[in-house]
Amino acid sequence: MSAPGVQPRAGDQPDARVDAAFAAQPRERFLPESVRGQAALDQPLPIGFAQTNSQPTTVRDMLVLLDVHRGMKVLEVGAGTGWVLAMLAELVGVDGTAIGTERIHRLVEAGNANLVAADVPWARLVEADEHALGAPEEAPFDRILVSAMASRMPRALVAQLAPGGAMVAPVRMRMMRVVRGLPPHDDPDDAVVTEHGGYRFVPLIEP
């Protein structure tokens, strides 16, 4: 479902768009030098601070589920060193906005340097507010991607979706896609939730 005012092009397929984003933003550019030679492996890789750069097939699955279109405003929670955020920036294009949050200051610094090198100035990575999940002051978002495992459905993030917006988040080992309804059925508790297989992630740290 596209956000109001954001029209997908005829024949525009999520898989093809995601593959193009992967090609535009190679994984190795966002990895520490110590593991850069392992970038082609389809497995999580350490980026320091007990955090990982996610397995490429998992990232692809999530981005296809998220179904991002040009011109959208998107949020990634747990953006690490910026790889997925850079691909989200490719998907929304120059007329869109991609915002990432990350709680570890040194990863924020590294991620922003990576985004500069990636040439996506419409994307930015900010240090997470220890008292709030996501970026409520920047809401609403057309799409939200959560790159860490929640212990329960993060209702605070559902509330940051625009009406008709969608979130993809791993919750208790299951990948969830959440679509917020349109008025008058846009209460976060009325969002439609579907499951899309089992996955592993580092835990989501909630306030």
Side-chain angles (χ1 to χ4, degrees):
M1 182 181 300
S2 295
V6 179
Q7 299 299 320
R9 295 169 294 178
D12 195 11
Q13 297 298 316
D15 294 64
R17 287 185 274 114
V18 169
D19 288 342
F22 266 79
Q25 299 295 345
R27 186 189 194 195
E28 57 266 23
R29 294 180 184 172
F30 299 85
L31 293 171
E33 188 173 350
S34 59
V35 295
R36 205 165 288 162
Q38 303 174 54
L41 298 178
D42 188 29
Q43 63 186 47
L45 293 173
I47 56 173
F49 311 97
Q51 303 300 303
T52 61
N53 177 278
S54 295
Q55 183 175 354
T57 52
T58 297
V59 172
R60 187 180 187 280
D61 289 347
M62 294 177 77
L63 291 178
V64 170
L65 272 178
L66 198 61
D67 191 22
V68 178
H69 294 277
R70 291 188 68 87
M72 284 185 168
K73 182 178 182 182
V74 301
L75 171 70
E76 184 191 8
V77 178
T81 56
W83 178 44
V84 178
L85 184 59
M87 290 192 286
L88 288 169
E90 294 288 343
L91 291 167
V92 300
V94 296
D95 50 345
T97 302
I99 301 169
T101 63
E102 171 54 55
R103 64 187 182 86
I104 299 169
H105 179 73
R106 286 175 62 183
L107 291 181
V108 174
E109 291 181 329
N112 275 315
N114 290 337
L115 291 173
V116 170
D119 195 25
V120 284
W122 55 95
R124 70 183 192 275
L125 181 54
V126 299
E127 194 161 341
D129 184 342
E130 62 180 12
H131 302 297
L133 186 61
E137 71 286 355
E138 302 269 7
F141 298 97
D142 301 306
R143 297 288 189 269
I144 297 176
L145 185 71
V146 184
S147 294
M149 183 74 69
S151 59
R152 63 186 186 280
M153 181 60 67
R155 188 183 184 281
L157 294 178
V158 180
Q160 292 172 43
L161 286 170
M167 176 175 73
V168 171
V171 181
R172 295 190 300 273
M173 311 294 289
R174 306 297 295 175
M175 192 64 70
M176 304 293 191
R177 188 174 197 267
V178 184
V179 179
R180 188 169 181 178
L182 296 170
H185 306 292
D186 58 335
D187 188 285
D189 291 332
D190 295 329
V192 175
V193 181
T194 53
E195 289 191 16
H196 300 271
Y199 293 83
R200 292 179 179 272
F201 279 82
V202 296
L204 177 67
I205 307 299
E206 301 186 45

